[in-house]
Amino acid sequence: AVPKEWVTKNKLKAGDLIYVDDEKEDLRISSKHKQEQQEKKEFVINVDGKNPRIIDYELNEAYLNNYYHIIIKGKDLPKVAKKVKETIVSLIALELIEESSEKIIARSFLNMYDVDLKSITRRMDNIIRSMIIDTKDCVKNTSLVENINNRDYEVNRLTFLVFKILKTAHVDKKILKSIDIQEMDVLKYWELTTHLEKIGDRVKSIARIIPKLNHPHQKKFIKLLIDIEGLYKNTMKAFYNNDKDLSDSVSIKRIHIIDEVKEYAKGNCNY
């Protein structure tokens, strides 16, 4: 039986539902469904006298800390409004809901209990795979470079989304349970996402370089890229399947490929 005082305080009556969360060695009883308890926090950014880059940092910080409403205000707002709105658009599930000459309000429409973290990271992986495939074709079709840049932008947007989810889950164990990962997995997915974002950046840079290579060097360069692509695919396969043997094999092969890249770079650093 639950304590009578608790029942009275929460105005419960016979037949009302209560919710139980398993938190390690404890059971947490609640009178409301976990989705009803999401705190609608508010964050205010005053832009007056601030460098636009600092405003951008603060806006990103508020997004990552899962604020429900982000209010950007100040007499200097018209000077930075365009950049502020561009940043809002770049952040997934954050929408501009009100705008005036002295105030912009953005609201988060992300429901943490509906997100699928594993699907998001797989989406990042799939985008990067497609970027690598098209990068190999940039030799013949330079118009692909811009498209690859756009896909890297999407990887960056998803990176911020994953960081937002992981930061929130780290402090809210109900969300941790909802996205179906353990506490130690927060660090694992954070590291994975960080590396995926870096790989996306490198592929984007490689796509810009390939068309500039002298023709005799392109064949070897593409060969190295194919080897790296195979290494990447096996790395992700090891991650998804929790395959330690494959992971060890990738680590060893990685050393050899790095040596090949260094050897190639010695005579081709100027294309």
Side-chain angles (χ1 to χ4, degrees), residues 4-35:
K4 182 178 179 181
E5 294 82 2
W6 184 82
V7 172
T8 303
K9 179 181 177 181
N10 288 277
K11 300 178 181 180
L12 297 174
K13 58 183 183 297
D16 285 346
L17 294 175
I18 60 174
Y19 302 89
V20 180
D21 287 324
D22 185 359
E23 298 185 358
K24 292 186 177 179
E25 298 177 356
D26 301 320
L27 292 177
R28 183 180 294 275
I29 300 174
S30 173
S31 62
K32 294 183 179 180
H33 192 275
K34 58 188 178 183
Q35 292 194 31

Side-chain angles (χ1 to χ4, degrees), residues 47-234:
V47 303
D48 289 340
K50 287 182 180 175
N51 185 293
R53 182 165 292 187
I54 299 300
I55 298 168
D56 197 54
Y57 288 160
E58 291 184 358
L59 184 50
N60 281 299
E61 178 188 6
Y63 175 79
L64 291 173
N65 287 322
N66 197 33
Y67 280 93
Y68 184 77
H69 280 128
I70 304 174
I71 302 171
I72 306 98
K73 65 179 185 178
K75 293 180 180 178
D76 292 342
L77 184 59
K79 301 176 185 176
V80 296
K82 181 180 178 181
K83 181 65 176 72
V84 166
K85 288 189 284 186
E86 287 174 354
T87 301
I88 290 172
V89 169
S90 73
L91 299 170
I92 295 174
L94 187 68
E95 301 289 340
L96 192 155
I97 60 171
E98 184 179 327
E99 179 180 6
S100 69
S101 61
E102 293 190 359
K103 182 169 66 177
I104 288 175
I105 300 178
R107 174 192 158 185
S108 173
F109 283 86
L110 183 67
N111 185 339
M112 286 292 178
Y113 295 100
D114 286 340
V115 298
D116 189 334
L117 175 67
K118 295 172 183 177
S119 291
I120 295 170
T121 52
R122 278 188 178 272
R123 183 180 171 192
M124 293 176 70
D125 173 26
N126 288 333
I127 293 172
I128 290 170
R129 289 174 191 246
S130 73
M131 289 171 66
I132 296 172
I133 289 170
D134 285 349
T135 294
K136 291 181 292 184
D137 291 334
C138 284
V139 173
K140 299 177 181 178
N141 186 359
T142 57
S143 65
L144 289 171
V145 174
E146 184 61 32
N147 188 267
I148 290 169
N149 288 343
N150 293 337
R151 275 176 274 172
D152 178 62
Y153 173 74
E154 186 62 19
V155 170
N156 294 341
R157 295 180 74 225
L158 291 169
T159 297
F160 268 84
L161 175 61
V162 172
F163 285 166
K164 177 187 176 96
I165 295 167
L166 292 175
K167 283 196 71 175
T168 306
H170 178 64
V171 298
D172 190 335
K173 299 303 181 285
K174 296 188 296 295
I175 292 174
L176 190 70
K177 184 178 179 181
S178 175
I179 62 178
D180 192 29
I181 63 172
Q182 304 298 316
E183 279 190 84
M184 286 302 296
D185 290 335
V186 172
L187 179 59
K188 181 173 76 172
Y189 275 93
W190 190 284
E191 282 292 300
L192 171 68
T193 304
T194 298
H195 287 300
L196 288 175
E197 193 275 332
K198 289 180 179 178
I199 291 169
D201 284 344
R202 294 310 302 155
V203 174
K204 176 180 69 176
S205 297
I206 291 169
R208 293 170 179 170
I209 291 171
I210 284 183
K212 300 177 184 178
L213 289 171
N214 295 327
H215 188 268
H217 303 311
Q218 287 179 347
K219 187 175 182 180
K220 177 60 177 176
F221 191 94
I222 296 298
K223 168 65 169 55
L224 287 171
L225 184 57
I226 290 171
D227 290 343
I228 293 169
E229 178 184 26
L231 194 70
Y232 171 76
K233 288 180 178 178
N234 280 332

